[in-house]
Amino acid sequence: MLTPAFSTMHKLGCTVLLSLSVLASQAQAADPVKVKFSMDWRFEGPSAPFLMAKAKNYFVQEGLDVQIDSGNGSAGAVTRVATGAYDMAFADFNSLIEQESQHPGTGIKGVYMLYNVTPGAVFTLKSSGIAKPTDLQGKTIAAPVFDAARKSWPAFAKKVGLNKDAVTWQSADPTVTDNLLARKNVDAISGFYFTNLLNLEARGIKADDLVIFPYSQYGVDLYGNTIIASKNMLENHPEVIQAFLRAFNKAVQETIADPSAAVQYVKARDSLINAPLETRRLQMARDMLIVTPESKKLGLGAVDPARMKNSVTEVVSAFGLKNTPDASTLFTDALLPARADRDVQ
């Protein structure tokens, strides 16, 4: 039979152990989930919502510890996720279509379509005499091998009546591509509209001295960049993706409302950027690619199923791919934040 003193000590000991157990459990539950995230490119104005969500602890508030690294092109970002080196990334959706067509079953999906329109474009100088897309026949275009606009060229060429092999591609490092056009070493370059236009301006070329062919203005109805997630994340940690998207979506809304303030988070990550220039770049991305009639109708991050199906077919045909992935294997809207949180005006 237990003495009263022993009984009291026993109960006290159990209470202490239980308390320690609860504290340990709470501490374990509070440990943030680590997520490795790759951008498609270096840190520029459009990187703002990602870096804001990190700097303002929106990810932390969702229980996440997110590592955000710069990238070297959309194809590279897709590869980083496909190999398991990264959990999630920001990449051109058309690069994902190509990846899935060539390597079916990777299980990577887009989960938040930020760029509702493809930003791809071809740039040339007025002095070159190139005035319309068909004038590019036989010309040399410079771009990095991994450039999303270069990879989407076949879709543009098909729309404007050119053979996809109508031009010669000169591979160039992204740090010198704009210089090649400025120095007239090539006839044209390809890239993202908001990236190369401002880069060329920074090199002394006025917008009035350029001829620009934005793909979307020539009937290329493709989606642009999406957040992608690995098969492992989708199958085993969907709640982590949902948490990431809630934090990110909150930052997107703030970025849309005040691009100038948002760019300061890019400046904090890379002190060498030109804040006014990057603010313009971000504003262009917002107005051309993010806040669109479709995103106003469906909410940020969502896609139109019929349009997506058509865009997949168009990419497969233009790229000369053998397999046509089902749109449902490439994108899911099941993990998006609540519709009310994604409303945009």
Side-chain angles (χ1 to χ4, degrees):
M1 182 174 179
L2 296 175
T3 65
F6 183 86
S7 179
T8 300
M9 290 178 63
H10 178 72
K11 290 179 180 179
L12 180 60
C14 288
T15 300
V16 171
L17 288 175
L18 179 59
S19 298
L20 290 174
S21 177
V22 169
L23 288 173
S25 177
Q26 289 176 340
Q28 186 174 13
D31 287 344
V33 178
K34 294 185 180 297
V35 177
K36 287 192 67 178
F37 186 90
S38 172
M39 295 298 299
D40 63 325
W41 193 232
R42 59 179 175 242
F43 297 121
E44 295 181 334
S47 306
F50 297 96
L51 300 179
M52 177 194 289
K54 170 98 173 162
K56 296 185 77 170
N57 288 328
Y58 293 163
F59 290 129
V60 171
Q61 291 165 16
E62 291 287 350
L64 306 179
D65 176 8
V66 180
Q67 173 185 322
I68 303 176
D69 294 331
S70 61
N72 59 2
S74 284
V78 173
T79 299
R80 283 178 168 183
V81 175
T83 59
Y86 284 76
D87 304 300
M88 301 175 68
F90 188 51
D92 177 51
F93 184 67
N94 307 299
S95 295
L96 179 59
I97 296 173
E98 183 178 28
Q99 167 81 15
E100 182 61 23
S101 177
Q102 295 177 337
H103 307 284
T106 58
I108 301 172
K109 287 186 180 182
V111 293
Y112 189 112
M113 189 68 70
L114 184 63
Y115 293 171
N116 196 255
V117 179
T118 177
V122 170
F123 300 76
T124 187
L125 300 172
K126 282 185 179 178
S127 59
S128 69
I130 299 171
K132 55 186 183 299
T134 50
D135 292 338
L136 291 168
Q137 176 78 40
K139 304 299 184 180
T140 298
I141 304 178
V145 173
F146 49 75
D147 176 56
R150 174 174 177 172
K151 295 181 78 65
S152 297
W153 160 264
F156 173 70
K158 184 177 180 180
K159 289 291 184 182
V160 300
L162 286 171
N163 185 284
K164 66 178 182 179
D165 298 319
V167 302
T168 298
W169 286 96
Q170 178 174 320
S171 297
D173 187 272
T175 59
V176 302
T177 300
D178 299 293
N179 289 333
L180 291 175
L181 181 61
R183 296 170 182 169
K184 300 182 180 181
N185 297 133
V186 294
D187 301 300
I189 62 173
S190 75
F192 277 9
Y193 185 93
F194 55 77
T195 296
N196 295 90
L197 174 60
L198 298 188
N199 288 352
L200 289 166
E201 283 189 13
R203 286 160 177 76
I205 300 177
K206 298 178 181 178
D208 290 343
D209 296 328
L210 292 168
V211 176
I212 308 173
F213 305 122
Y215 289 0
S216 62
Q217 293 183 16
Y218 288 86
V220 180
D221 191 24
L222 304 180
Y223 281 101
N225 279 37
T226 178
I227 293 176
I228 62 175
S230 69
K231 181 179 181 179
N232 175 57
M233 291 287 285
L234 287 159
E235 291 184 351
N236 301 316
H237 308 287
E239 74 288 348
V240 174
I241 300 174
Q242 289 177 306
F244 183 100
L245 296 183
R246 284 193 299 268
F248 174 72
N249 185 74
K250 183 177 181 180
V252 171
Q253 291 284 23
E254 293 184 24
T255 298
I256 290 172
D258 193 346
S260 296
V263 162
Q264 298 310 310
Y265 294 97
V266 185
K267 183 74 171 177
R269 184 67 182 255
D270 182 355
S271 61
L272 297 179
I273 71 161
N274 180 321
L277 183 144
E278 294 307 330
T279 299
R280 286 184 59 204
R281 200 189 307 275
L282 176 57
Q283 289 171 329
M284 292 172 69
R286 176 194 63 183
D287 297 340
M288 295 175 60
L289 312 174
I290 300 173
V291 181
T292 69
E294 185 173 291
S295 63
K296 289 180 180 179
K297 178 182 177 182
L298 303 177
L300 293 167
V303 301
D304 177 87
R307 181 187 167 205
M308 170 155 284
K309 183 177 179 180
N310 290 337
S311 70
V312 171
T313 301
E314 183 173 345
V315 168
V316 169
S317 174
F319 285 30
L321 303 173
K322 294 181 179 179
N323 303 306
T324 302
D326 189 279
S328 65
T329 68
L330 296 167
F331 189 89
T332 177
D333 61 5
L335 304 175
L336 288 172
R339 176 67 173 82
D341 295 332
R342 296 184 290 106
D343 280 339
V344 63
Q345 302 300 319

